[in-house]
Amino acid sequence: MAKQYDLIIVGAGMVGALASILFAKSSLRIALVDKHHGDYTLSTPPAYDSRVSAISSQSKSLLEEAGVWQGIAQNRVASYDNMVVWDGLGDGYIDFDAQTTKMPELGHLVENAVLCERLISQARSSTNIDLFFNDGLDSHELDEFGAKVVLSSGLVLEAQAVIAADGAMSKLRTENAFETLEWDYGHSAIVATIEIHQSHENTAWQSFGEEGILAFLPLPSVDERHFVSIVWSVPPSEAKQLMALDDDTFCQRLHYAMSKRFEVLGVMTARQSIPLRQRHAKHYVKTGIALIGDAAHTIHPLAGQGANLGFSDVKSLVEVLSKAHKRGESLGAGKVLRRYQRARMLDNIAMAAGMEAFKRLFSTQQPLIVQLRNGGMKRFNQNLSLKRKLIARAAGLSSFS
Ligand SMILES: Cc1cc2nc3c(=O)[nH]c(=O)nc-3n(C[C@H](O)[C@H](O)[C@H](O)COP(=O)(O)OP(=O)(O)OC[C@H]3O[C@@H](n4cnc5c(N)ncnc54)[C@H](O)[C@@H]3O)c2cc1C
């Protein structure tokens, strides 16, 4: 016999797990499904997880509302109140600081494993959420009357709608013939935890240069030793070469790619290389289904916004469906789900376009463009009002739409 819910969420990554908790707080009955086992073993600092996310103010507020921020904050979070971005091929640079916008900080760096572990633990404690882990999607049917999902284990779930939070390679997106606009960025991102000699000064550092786009993101110091998480975006052939280097040579390359600002002491975790692809679904909803997070869109990590956009999708979808539930409307109705699509699409497209423009602008070494871009950076750096607008946007406190 089928188990009955208001919503079935497929994918318990950070986006799907947060959605489950916030829907459950609105008294909806949720089935949360993931093919992963859902148990996260956290490494011991300073071997911080090599996957981290810069979390904006708005995302932090959502995590507070979900009741998980306090647990995360106790678990090795680093805040940053400055960000310095420079052009390795010139003398242009931009510095952002929290004081400019009277914010306590620009954001927080959290390990993905810590975020997921906290979110899933909170989801487990909710009486409105049933978790089906280690169990994938076998088949599903959607129509205006509701959704039926059959899991690999044979369990059958029914609900008013399915929420696809199953990540960049979403099976639900493909099987429901959602068209996407997508292309390779021509970049792979190398991530790892690195020890540096001096303090990172609670600053996110980012260099755009001949050696690619390289970010040093602050992590908590341990016994006066200092650590950063790196995201180094380079063409795939260069990523392959960098991955093949021994740790000492890799650290030397980091030192030069960061314009010699930091003495790099060592690599604390295995390096990972992740191919980067821009992807955007042309529609986020069809009758009985909505896409959220990476299932709907993936962007270049250079501004650390992918998960933040996913969390904004969650905020919007929870608002739309909670109101519809109170009014007695069907949660799977196309006209209800389209309210979510209208609320989110423009903002997500604008962010994707911004990342593409940035990536292209800084990929060229053409002297005239390098000169123009350095001049532009200097002028931008002196324009407080524009800087405030950009900081507010990155913090999720304003939108493009
Ligand atoms: C190098 C790099 C750095 C980044 N840095 C930042 C940053 O600083 N800040 C930021 O905001 N974003 C950042 N991002 C983006 C961010 O990591 C993603 O946007 C975010 O992880 C997406 O979360 P998600 O829950 O949508 O998808 P995922 O994390 O991919 O979760 C999908 C879940 O669905 C499950 N699943 C998949 N298929 C099925 C199935 N068929 N059945 C059941 N379960 C299924 C998977 O097991 C998984 O648990 C970065 C990305 C990269 C690549």
Side-chain angles (χ1 to χ4, degrees):
M1 210 170 65
K3 289 174 170 267
Q4 303 293 325
Y5 298 93
D6 292 311
L7 295 170
I8 301 163
I9 300 178
V10 179
M14 53 182 101
V15 172
L18 176 67
S20 73
I21 299 165
L22 295 180
F23 277 126
K25 280 176 74 97
S26 297
S27 306
L28 295 177
R29 291 268 308 132
I30 306 296
L32 179 62
V33 177
D34 204 295
K35 59 184 182 185
H36 187 256
H37 48 66
D39 298 321
Y40 289 85
T41 315
L42 302 182
S43 58
T44 309
Y48 296 102
D49 188 34
S50 55
R51 295 292 311 267
V52 304
S53 295
I55 294 297
S56 70
S57 297
Q58 180 185 261
S59 297
K60 179 184 157 218
S61 302
L62 288 173
L63 293 165
E64 278 169 349
E65 192 183 328
V68 297
W69 182 253
Q70 205 197 2
I72 289 170
Q74 285 162 358
N75 250 317
R76 64 228 203 167
V77 168
S79 66
Y80 59 100
D81 37 34
N82 293 294
M83 181 183 279
V84 180
V85 177
W86 69 94
D87 189 335
L89 292 174
D91 56 357
Y93 77 95
I94 304 173
D95 53 13
F96 298 97
D97 70 85
Q99 275 182 338
T100 313
T101 40
K102 301 194 169 57
M103 287 161 58
E105 67 273 311
L106 288 180
H108 291 84
L109 263 303
V110 188
E111 293 155 272
N112 289 7
V114 171
L115 260 172
C116 288
E117 191 273 330
R118 283 288 86 212
L119 283 162
I120 286 169
S121 155
Q122 183 76 352
R124 281 191 209 281
S125 69
S126 168
T127 49
N128 278 345
I129 305 174
D130 285 346
L131 293 90
F132 301 90
F133 279 9
N134 240 339
D135 211 349
L137 189 68
D138 183 50
S139 62
H140 68 285
E141 291 163 28
L142 304 173
D143 60 34
E144 71 261 41
F145 306 110
K148 181 174 163 183
V149 166
V150 181
L151 302 182
S152 315
S153 60
L155 272 172
V156 182
L157 313 176
E158 284 179 351
Q160 295 182 51
V162 173
I163 310 299
D166 49 347
M169 305 308 289
S170 172
K171 184 174 171 180
L172 279 166
R173 185 186 66 224
T174 310
E175 289 190 352
N176 288 288
F178 280 91
E179 279 185 65
T180 57
L181 199 59
E182 53 183 283
W183 60 88
D184 273 336
Y185 276 119
H187 266 174
S188 292
I190 298 180
V191 294
T193 301
I194 301 291
E195 181 168 7
I196 51 175
H197 179 63
Q198 68 270 54
S199 164
H200 47 56
E201 299 167 18
N202 296 331
T203 299
W205 306 85
Q206 191 157 32
S207 162
F208 290 84
E210 252 175 321
E211 297 261 15
I213 305 173
L214 174 59
F216 272 24
L217 306 170
L219 292 169
S221 299
V222 178
D223 299 332
E224 298 189 20
R225 291 170 64 194
H226 307 292
F227 305 93
V228 290
S229 177
I230 61 155
V231 182
W232 195 353
S233 305
V234 290
S237 56
E238 285 174 38
K240 209 171 161 192
Q241 286 169 14
L242 288 169
M243 290 295 288
L245 297 177
D246 61 65
D247 280 355
D248 286 347
T249 319
F250 183 73
C251 290
Q252 277 171 24
R253 291 287 297 274
L254 278 173
H255 172 66
Y256 285 104
M258 261 287 155
S259 312
K260 303 189 198 164
R261 280 178 191 237
F262 295 94
E263 198 180 322
V264 181
L265 299 181
V267 185
M268 307 301 297
T269 56
R271 288 166 247 162
Q272 280 181 57
S273 175
I274 305 160
L276 300 177
R277 197 165 169 79
Q278 136 76 36
R279 187 181 290 105
H280 199 273
K282 290 188 184 169
H283 300 278
Y284 295 169
V285 304
K286 290 189 177 184
T287 300
I289 182 165
L291 312 179
I292 58 174
D294 275 18
H297 41 75
T298 55
I299 56 169
H300 199 289
L302 68 88
Q305 286 293 333
N308 290 307
L309 293 183
F311 288 164
S312 296
D313 293 348
V314 170
K315 180 175 188 287
S316 175
L317 189 62
V318 170
E319 277 165 14
V320 165
L321 294 191
S322 303
K323 270 189 203 154
H325 185 60
K326 280 188 194 133
R327 289 196 201 116
E329 293 176 293
S330 165
L331 304 185
K335 69 168 188 183
V336 170
L337 292 170
R338 278 193 294 276
R339 293 173 200 152
Y340 152 69
Q341 177 173 285
R342 279 196 295 276
R344 287 301 304 146
M345 193 166 263
L346 193 57
D347 204 33
N348 288 334
I349 289 175
M351 184 64 83
M355 291 314 101
E356 181 64 25
F358 253 101
K359 194 250 157 189
R360 283 180 191 218
L361 180 64
F362 284 96
S363 290
T364 179
Q365 296 175 20
Q366 220 267 332
L368 181 63
I369 300 196
V370 171
Q371 198 184 343
L372 286 171
R373 125 185 135 202
N374 276 273
M377 284 176 94
K378 284 182 211 162
R379 278 195 296 284
F380 181 89
N381 199 38
Q382 286 156 6
N383 190 328
L384 261 188
S385 145
L386 262 182
K387 278 188 357 184
R388 279 196 190 111
K389 280 191 185 137
L390 200 69
I391 294 173
R393 175 65 200 88
L397 304 175
S398 70
S399 67
F400 293 112
S401 45

mmCIF file with all atom_site columns, all heavy atoms in Angstrom, residues 260-279:
data_model
loop_
_atom_site.group_PDB
_atom_site.id
_atom_site.type_symbol
_atom_site.label_atom_id
_atom_site.label_alt_id
_atom_site.label_comp_id
_atom_site.label_asym_id
_atom_site.label_entity_id
_atom_site.label_seq_id
_atom_site.pdbx_PDB_ins_code
_atom_site.Cartn_x
_atom_site.Cartn_y
_atom_site.Cartn_z
_atom_site.occupancy
_atom_site.B_iso_or_equiv
_atom_site.pdbx_formal_charge
_atom_site.auth_seq_id
_atom_site.auth_comp_id
_atom_site.auth_asym_id
_atom_site.auth_atom_id
_atom_site.pdbx_PDB_model_num
ATOM 1   N N   . LYS A 1 260 ? 52.298 35.638 -4.934  1.00 0.00 ? 260 LYS A N   1
ATOM 2   C CA  . LYS A 1 260 ? 53.271 35.484 -3.833  1.00 0.00 ? 260 LYS A CA  1
ATOM 3   C C   . LYS A 1 260 ? 52.789 36.119 -2.521  1.00 0.00 ? 260 LYS A C   1
ATOM 4   O O   . LYS A 1 260 ? 53.599 36.503 -1.687  1.00 0.00 ? 260 LYS A O   1
ATOM 5   C CB  . LYS A 1 260 ? 54.624 36.081 -4.236  1.00 0.00 ? 260 LYS A CB  1
ATOM 6   C CG  . LYS A 1 260 ? 55.218 35.484 -5.491  1.00 0.00 ? 260 LYS A CG  1
ATOM 7   C CD  . LYS A 1 260 ? 56.629 36.005 -5.654  1.00 0.00 ? 260 LYS A CD  1
ATOM 8   C CE  . LYS A 1 260 ? 57.174 35.857 -7.027  1.00 0.00 ? 260 LYS A CE  1
ATOM 9   N NZ  . LYS A 1 260 ? 58.331 36.634 -7.284  1.00 0.00 ? 260 LYS A NZ  1
ATOM 10  N N   . ARG A 1 261 ? 51.470 36.312 -2.367  1.00 0.00 ? 261 ARG A N   1
ATOM 11  C CA  . ARG A 1 261 ? 50.967 36.940 -1.132  1.00 0.00 ? 261 ARG A CA  1
ATOM 12  C C   . ARG A 1 261 ? 51.064 36.004 0.066   1.00 0.00 ? 261 ARG A C   1
ATOM 13  O O   . ARG A 1 261 ? 51.103 36.437 1.204   1.00 0.00 ? 261 ARG A O   1
ATOM 14  C CB  . ARG A 1 261 ? 49.486 37.310 -1.294  1.00 0.00 ? 261 ARG A CB  1
ATOM 15  C CG  . ARG A 1 261 ? 49.282 38.584 -2.056  1.00 0.00 ? 261 ARG A CG  1
ATOM 16  C CD  . ARG A 1 261 ? 47.805 38.877 -2.232  1.00 0.00 ? 261 ARG A CD  1
ATOM 17  N NE  . ARG A 1 261 ? 47.653 39.969 -3.182  1.00 0.00 ? 261 ARG A NE  1
ATOM 18  C CZ  . ARG A 1 261 ? 47.031 41.104 -2.946  1.00 0.00 ? 261 ARG A CZ  1
ATOM 19  N NH1 . ARG A 1 261 ? 46.456 41.300 -1.777  1.00 0.00 ? 261 ARG A NH1 1
ATOM 20  N NH2 . ARG A 1 261 ? 46.947 42.033 -3.858  1.00 0.00 ? 261 ARG A NH2 1
ATOM 21  N N   . PHE A 1 262 ? 51.011 34.688 -0.200  1.00 0.00 ? 262 PHE A N   1
ATOM 22  C CA  . PHE A 1 262 ? 50.993 33.723 0.902   1.00 0.00 ? 262 PHE A CA  1
ATOM 23  C C   . PHE A 1 262 ? 52.094 32.682 0.734   1.00 0.00 ? 262 PHE A C   1
ATOM 24  O O   . PHE A 1 262 ? 52.311 32.191 -0.370  1.00 0.00 ? 262 PHE A O   1
ATOM 25  C CB  . PHE A 1 262 ? 49.649 32.991 0.958   1.00 0.00 ? 262 PHE A CB  1
ATOM 26  C CG  . PHE A 1 262 ? 48.499 33.880 1.284   1.00 0.00 ? 262 PHE A CG  1
ATOM 27  C CD1 . PHE A 1 262 ? 47.741 34.457 0.274   1.00 0.00 ? 262 PHE A CD1 1
ATOM 28  C CD2 . PHE A 1 262 ? 48.182 34.178 2.598   1.00 0.00 ? 262 PHE A CD2 1
ATOM 29  C CE1 . PHE A 1 262 ? 46.692 35.297 0.568   1.00 0.00 ? 262 PHE A CE1 1
ATOM 30  C CE2 . PHE A 1 262 ? 47.128 35.021 2.900   1.00 0.00 ? 262 PHE A CE2 1
ATOM 31  C CZ  . PHE A 1 262 ? 46.386 35.583 1.885   1.00 0.00 ? 262 PHE A CZ  1
ATOM 32  N N   . GLU A 1 263 ? 52.731 32.360 1.850   1.00 0.00 ? 263 GLU A N   1
ATOM 33  C CA  . GLU A 1 263 ? 53.648 31.220 1.842   1.00 0.00 ? 263 GLU A CA  1
ATOM 34  C C   . GLU A 1 263 ? 52.797 29.981 2.105   1.00 0.00 ? 263 GLU A C   1
ATOM 35  O O   . GLU A 1 263 ? 52.076 29.931 3.114   1.00 0.00 ? 263 GLU A O   1
ATOM 36  C CB  . GLU A 1 263 ? 54.685 31.409 2.950   1.00 0.00 ? 263 GLU A CB  1
ATOM 37  C CG  . GLU A 1 263 ? 55.897 30.547 2.748   1.00 0.00 ? 263 GLU A CG  1
ATOM 38  C CD  . GLU A 1 263 ? 56.908 30.761 3.858   1.00 0.00 ? 263 GLU A CD  1
ATOM 39  O OE1 . GLU A 1 263 ? 57.073 31.926 4.295   1.00 0.00 ? 263 GLU A OE1 1
ATOM 40  O OE2 . GLU A 1 263 ? 57.483 29.763 4.297   1.00 0.00 ? 263 GLU A OE2 1
ATOM 41  N N   . VAL A 1 264 ? 52.824 29.042 1.175   1.00 0.00 ? 264 VAL A N   1
ATOM 42  C CA  . VAL A 1 264 ? 51.948 27.872 1.281   1.00 0.00 ? 264 VAL A CA  1
ATOM 43  C C   . VAL A 1 264 ? 52.741 26.718 1.898   1.00 0.00 ? 264 VAL A C   1
ATOM 44  O O   . VAL A 1 264 ? 53.758 26.293 1.348   1.00 0.00 ? 264 VAL A O   1
ATOM 45  C CB  . VAL A 1 264 ? 51.387 27.491 -0.112  1.00 0.00 ? 264 VAL A CB  1
ATOM 46  C CG1 . VAL A 1 264 ? 50.450 26.299 0.004   1.00 0.00 ? 264 VAL A CG1 1
ATOM 47  C CG2 . VAL A 1 264 ? 50.661 28.678 -0.726  1.00 0.00 ? 264 VAL A CG2 1
ATOM 48  N N   . LEU A 1 265 ? 52.281 26.215 3.056   1.00 0.00 ? 265 LEU A N   1
ATOM 49  C CA  . LEU A 1 265 ? 53.080 25.235 3.800   1.00 0.00 ? 265 LEU A CA  1
ATOM 50  C C   . LEU A 1 265 ? 52.777 23.781 3.436   1.00 0.00 ? 265 LEU A C   1
ATOM 51  O O   . LEU A 1 265 ? 53.669 22.944 3.472   1.00 0.00 ? 265 LEU A O   1
ATOM 52  C CB  . LEU A 1 265 ? 52.858 25.423 5.305   1.00 0.00 ? 265 LEU A CB  1
ATOM 53  C CG  . LEU A 1 265 ? 53.264 26.781 5.885   1.00 0.00 ? 265 LEU A CG  1
ATOM 54  C CD1 . LEU A 1 265 ? 53.014 26.819 7.382   1.00 0.00 ? 265 LEU A CD1 1
ATOM 55  C CD2 . LEU A 1 265 ? 54.739 27.065 5.587   1.00 0.00 ? 265 LEU A CD2 1
ATOM 56  N N   . GLY A 1 266 ? 51.500 23.509 3.122   1.00 0.00 ? 266 GLY A N   1
ATOM 57  C CA  . GLY A 1 266 ? 51.204 22.101 2.823   1.00 0.00 ? 266 GLY A CA  1
ATOM 58  C C   . GLY A 1 266 ? 49.745 21.885 2.465   1.00 0.00 ? 266 GLY A C   1
ATOM 59  O O   . GLY A 1 266 ? 48.890 22.752 2.647   1.00 0.00 ? 266 GLY A O   1
ATOM 60  N N   . VAL A 1 267 ? 49.478 20.671 1.951   1.00 0.00 ? 267 VAL A N   1
ATOM 61  C CA  . VAL A 1 267 ? 48.119 20.295 1.548   1.00 0.00 ? 267 VAL A CA  1
ATOM 62  C C   . VAL A 1 267 ? 47.564 19.360 2.620   1.00 0.00 ? 267 VAL A C   1
ATOM 63  O O   . VAL A 1 267 ? 48.197 18.357 2.953   1.00 0.00 ? 267 VAL A O   1
ATOM 64  C CB  . VAL A 1 267 ? 48.156 19.573 0.170   1.00 0.00 ? 267 VAL A CB  1
ATOM 65  C CG1 . VAL A 1 267 ? 46.756 19.290 -0.325  1.00 0.00 ? 267 VAL A CG1 1
ATOM 66  C CG2 . VAL A 1 267 ? 48.906 20.407 -0.857  1.00 0.00 ? 267 VAL A CG2 1
ATOM 67  N N   . MET A 1 268 ? 46.400 19.698 3.183   1.00 0.00 ? 268 MET A N   1
ATOM 68  C CA  . MET A 1 268 ? 45.855 18.927 4.308   1.00 0.00 ? 268 MET A CA  1
ATOM 69  C C   . MET A 1 268 ? 44.906 17.802 3.870   1.00 0.00 ? 268 MET A C   1
ATOM 70  O O   . MET A 1 268 ? 44.602 16.916 4.647   1.00 0.00 ? 268 MET A O   1
ATOM 71  C CB  . MET A 1 268 ? 45.071 19.858 5.257   1.00 0.00 ? 268 MET A CB  1
ATOM 72  C CG  . MET A 1 268 ? 45.834 21.072 5.729   1.00 0.00 ? 268 MET A CG  1
ATOM 73  S SD  . MET A 1 268 ? 47.336 20.657 6.605   1.00 0.00 ? 268 MET A SD  1
ATOM 74  C CE  . MET A 1 268 ? 46.696 19.764 8.015   1.00 0.00 ? 268 MET A CE  1
ATOM 75  N N   . THR A 1 269 ? 44.349 17.926 2.654   1.00 0.00 ? 269 THR A N   1
ATOM 76  C CA  . THR A 1 269 ? 43.389 16.911 2.188   1.00 0.00 ? 269 THR A CA  1
ATOM 77  C C   . THR A 1 269 ? 43.740 16.528 0.757   1.00 0.00 ? 269 THR A C   1
ATOM 78  O O   . THR A 1 269 ? 44.434 17.267 0.079   1.00 0.00 ? 269 THR A O   1
ATOM 79  C CB  . THR A 1 269 ? 41.945 17.482 2.140   1.00 0.00 ? 269 THR A CB  1
ATOM 80  O OG1 . THR A 1 269 ? 41.969 18.647 1.301   1.00 0.00 ? 269 THR A OG1 1
ATOM 81  C CG2 . THR A 1 269 ? 41.422 17.844 3.506   1.00 0.00 ? 269 THR A CG2 1
ATOM 82  N N   . ALA A 1 270 ? 43.212 15.408 0.313   1.00 0.00 ? 270 ALA A N   1
ATOM 83  C CA  . ALA A 1 270 ? 43.432 15.023 -1.094  1.00 0.00 ? 270 ALA A CA  1
ATOM 84  C C   . ALA A 1 270 ? 42.801 16.083 -1.980  1.00 0.00 ? 270 ALA A C   1
ATOM 85  O O   . ALA A 1 270 ? 41.754 16.626 -1.655  1.00 0.00 ? 270 ALA A O   1
ATOM 86  C CB  . ALA A 1 270 ? 42.794 13.674 -1.345  1.00 0.00 ? 270 ALA A CB  1
ATOM 87  N N   . ARG A 1 271 ? 43.490 16.402 -3.103  1.00 0.00 ? 271 ARG A N   1
ATOM 88  C CA  . ARG A 1 271 ? 42.918 17.364 -4.050  1.00 0.00 ? 271 ARG A CA  1
ATOM 89  C C   . ARG A 1 271 ? 41.793 16.690 -4.834  1.00 0.00 ? 271 ARG A C   1
ATOM 90  O O   . ARG A 1 271 ? 41.885 15.500 -5.134  1.00 0.00 ? 271 ARG A O   1
ATOM 91  C CB  . ARG A 1 271 ? 43.984 17.803 -5.049  1.00 0.00 ? 271 ARG A CB  1
ATOM 92  C CG  . ARG A 1 271 ? 45.022 18.699 -4.480  1.00 0.00 ? 271 ARG A CG  1
ATOM 93  C CD  . ARG A 1 271 ? 46.203 18.811 -5.434  1.00 0.00 ? 271 ARG A CD  1
ATOM 94  N NE  . ARG A 1 271 ? 47.393 18.194 -4.883  1.00 0.00 ? 271 ARG A NE  1
ATOM 95  C CZ  . ARG A 1 271 ? 48.462 17.836 -5.592  1.00 0.00 ? 271 ARG A CZ  1
ATOM 96  N NH1 . ARG A 1 271 ? 48.485 18.000 -6.897  1.00 0.00 ? 271 ARG A NH1 1
ATOM 97  N NH2 . ARG A 1 271 ? 49.501 17.294 -5.002  1.00 0.00 ? 271 ARG A NH2 1
ATOM 98  N N   . GLN A 1 272 ? 40.774 17.476 -5.165  1.00 0.00 ? 272 GLN A N   1
ATOM 99  C CA  . GLN A 1 272 ? 39.707 16.960 -6.043  1.00 0.00 ? 272 GLN A CA  1
ATOM 100 C C   . GLN A 1 272 ? 39.584 17.882 -7.237  1.00 0.00 ? 272 GLN A C   1
ATOM 101 O O   . GLN A 1 272 ? 39.675 19.096 -7.070  1.00 0.00 ? 272 GLN A O   1
ATOM 102 C CB  . GLN A 1 272 ? 38.353 17.020 -5.336  1.00 0.00 ? 272 GLN A CB  1
ATOM 103 C CG  . GLN A 1 272 ? 38.059 15.933 -4.358  1.00 0.00 ? 272 GLN A CG  1
ATOM 104 C CD  . GLN A 1 272 ? 36.650 16.138 -3.771  1.00 0.00 ? 272 GLN A CD  1
ATOM 105 O OE1 . GLN A 1 272 ? 35.681 16.202 -4.491  1.00 0.00 ? 272 GLN A OE1 1
ATOM 106 N NE2 . GLN A 1 272 ? 36.573 16.240 -2.466  1.00 0.00 ? 272 GLN A NE2 1
ATOM 107 N N   . SER A 1 273 ? 39.339 17.343 -8.416  1.00 0.00 ? 273 SER A N   1
ATOM 108 C CA  . SER A 1 273 ? 39.128 18.171 -9.606  1.00 0.00 ? 273 SER A CA  1
ATOM 109 C C   . SER A 1 273 ? 37.696 17.972 -10.091 1.00 0.00 ? 273 SER A C   1
ATOM 110 O O   . SER A 1 273 ? 37.260 16.838 -10.307 1.00 0.00 ? 273 SER A O   1
ATOM 111 C CB  . SER A 1 273 ? 40.119 17.746 -10.685 1.00 0.00 ? 273 SER A CB  1
ATOM 112 O OG  . SER A 1 273 ? 39.869 18.445 -11.863 1.00 0.00 ? 273 SER A OG  1
ATOM 113 N N   . ILE A 1 274 ? 36.963 19.086 -10.217 1.00 0.00 ? 274 ILE A N   1
ATOM 114 C CA  . ILE A 1 274 ? 35.530 18.994 -10.550 1.00 0.00 ? 274 ILE A CA  1
ATOM 115 C C   . ILE A 1 274 ? 35.269 19.754 -11.859 1.00 0.00 ? 274 ILE A C   1
ATOM 116 O O   . ILE A 1 274 ? 35.530 20.952 -11.932 1.00 0.00 ? 274 ILE A O   1
ATOM 117 C CB  . ILE A 1 274 ? 34.682 19.620 -9.412  1.00 0.00 ? 274 ILE A CB  1
ATOM 118 C CG1 . ILE A 1 274 ? 35.024 18.960 -8.082  1.00 0.00 ? 274 ILE A CG1 1
ATOM 119 C CG2 . ILE A 1 274 ? 33.196 19.548 -9.708  1.00 0.00 ? 274 ILE A CG2 1
ATOM 120 C CD1 . ILE A 1 274 ? 34.640 19.781 -6.880  1.00 0.00 ? 274 ILE A CD1 1
ATOM 121 N N   . PRO A 1 275 ? 34.783 19.059 -12.914 1.00 0.00 ? 275 PRO A N   1
ATOM 122 C CA  . PRO A 1 275 ? 34.479 19.767 -14.165 1.00 0.00 ? 275 PRO A CA  1
ATOM 123 C C   . PRO A 1 275 ? 33.318 20.743 -13.956 1.00 0.00 ? 275 PRO A C   1
ATOM 124 O O   . PRO A 1 275 ? 32.361 20.420 -13.234 1.00 0.00 ? 275 PRO A O   1
ATOM 125 C CB  . PRO A 1 275 ? 34.075 18.648 -15.133 1.00 0.00 ? 275 PRO A CB  1
ATOM 126 C CG  . PRO A 1 275 ? 33.991 17.410 -14.342 1.00 0.00 ? 275 PRO A CG  1
ATOM 127 C CD  . PRO A 1 275 ? 34.449 17.636 -12.943 1.00 0.00 ? 275 PRO A CD  1
ATOM 128 N N   . LEU A 1 276 ? 33.412 21.934 -14.565 1.00 0.00 ? 276 LEU A N   1
ATOM 129 C CA  . LEU A 1 276 ? 32.382 22.948 -14.333 1.00 0.00 ? 276 LEU A CA  1
ATOM 130 C C   . LEU A 1 276 ? 31.504 23.126 -15.577 1.00 0.00 ? 276 LEU A C   1
ATOM 131 O O   . LEU A 1 276 ? 32.034 23.285 -16.679 1.00 0.00 ? 276 LEU A O   1
ATOM 132 C CB  . LEU A 1 276 ? 33.033 24.291 -13.972 1.00 0.00 ? 276 LEU A CB  1
ATOM 133 C CG  . LEU A 1 276 ? 33.898 24.266 -12.716 1.00 0.00 ? 276 LEU A CG  1
ATOM 134 C CD1 . LEU A 1 276 ? 34.542 25.630 -12.495 1.00 0.00 ? 276 LEU A CD1 1
ATOM 135 C CD2 . LEU A 1 276 ? 33.090 23.854 -11.486 1.00 0.00 ? 276 LEU A CD2 1
ATOM 136 N N   . ARG A 1 277 ? 30.224 23.105 -15.361 1.00 0.00 ? 277 ARG A N   1
ATOM 137 C CA  . ARG A 1 277 ? 29.284 23.231 -16.481 1.00 0.00 ? 277 ARG A CA  1
ATOM 138 C C   . ARG A 1 277 ? 28.190 24.225 -16.123 1.00 0.00 ? 277 ARG A C   1
ATOM 139 O O   . ARG A 1 277 ? 27.638 24.173 -15.025 1.00 0.00 ? 277 ARG A O   1
ATOM 140 C CB  . ARG A 1 277 ? 28.675 21.847 -16.765 1.00 0.00 ? 277 ARG A CB  1
ATOM 141 C CG  . ARG A 1 277 ? 28.016 21.738 -18.104 1.00 0.00 ? 277 ARG A CG  1
ATOM 142 C CD  . ARG A 1 277 ? 27.786 20.275 -18.463 1.00 0.00 ? 277 ARG A CD  1
ATOM 143 N NE  . ARG A 1 277 ? 26.917 20.152 -19.625 1.00 0.00 ? 277 ARG A NE  1
ATOM 144 C CZ  . ARG A 1 277 ? 27.314 20.322 -20.884 1.00 0.00 ? 277 ARG A CZ  1
ATOM 145 N NH1 . ARG A 1 277 ? 28.568 20.599 -21.141 1.00 0.00 ? 277 ARG A NH1 1
ATOM 146 N NH2 . ARG A 1 277 ? 26.460 20.204 -21.878 1.00 0.00 ? 277 ARG A NH2 1
ATOM 147 N N   . GLN A 1 278 ? 27.904 25.136 -17.028 1.00 0.00 ? 278 GLN A N   1
ATOM 148 C CA  . GLN A 1 278 ? 26.765 26.035 -16.850 1.00 0.00 ? 278 GLN A CA  1
ATOM 149 C C   . GLN A 1 278 ? 25.531 25.286 -17.352 1.00 0.00 ? 278 GLN A C   1
ATOM 150 O O   . GLN A 1 278 ? 25.534 24.689 -18.418 1.00 0.00 ? 278 GLN A O   1
ATOM 151 C CB  . GLN A 1 278 ? 27.020 27.327 -17.635 1.00 0.00 ? 278 GLN A CB  1
ATOM 152 C CG  . GLN A 1 278 ? 25.845 27.875 -18.444 1.00 0.00 ? 278 GLN A CG  1
ATOM 153 C CD  . GLN A 1 278 ? 24.811 28.556 -17.580 1.00 0.00 ? 278 GLN A CD  1
ATOM 154 O OE1 . GLN A 1 278 ? 25.139 29.211 -16.587 1.00 0.00 ? 278 GLN A OE1 1
ATOM 155 N NE2 . GLN A 1 278 ? 23.541 28.386 -17.927 1.00 0.00 ? 278 GLN A NE2 1
ATOM 156 N N   . ARG A 1 279 ? 24.470 25.304 -16.553 1.00 0.00 ? 279 ARG A N   1
ATOM 157 C CA  . ARG A 1 279 ? 23.260 24.575 -16.948 1.00 0.00 ? 279 ARG A CA  1
ATOM 158 C C   . ARG A 1 279 ? 22.059 25.327 -16.384 1.00 0.00 ? 279 ARG A C   1
ATOM 159 O O   . ARG A 1 279 ? 22.063 25.731 -15.222 1.00 0.00 ? 279 ARG A O   1
ATOM 160 C CB  . ARG A 1 279 ? 23.328 23.163 -16.336 1.00 0.00 ? 279 ARG A CB  1
ATOM 161 C CG  . ARG A 1 279 ? 22.258 22.241 -16.776 1.00 0.00 ? 279 ARG A CG  1
ATOM 162 C CD  . ARG A 1 279 ? 22.389 20.881 -16.115 1.00 0.00 ? 279 ARG A CD  1
ATOM 163 N NE  . ARG A 1 279 ? 23.513 20.079 -16.558 1.00 0.00 ? 279 ARG A NE  1
ATOM 164 C CZ  . ARG A 1 279 ? 24.622 19.868 -15.857 1.00 0.00 ? 279 ARG A CZ  1
ATOM 165 N NH1 . ARG A 1 279 ? 24.769 20.419 -14.672 1.00 0.00 ? 279 ARG A NH1 1
ATOM 166 N NH2 . ARG A 1 279 ? 25.582 19.095 -16.319 1.00 0.00 ? 279 ARG A NH2 1
#
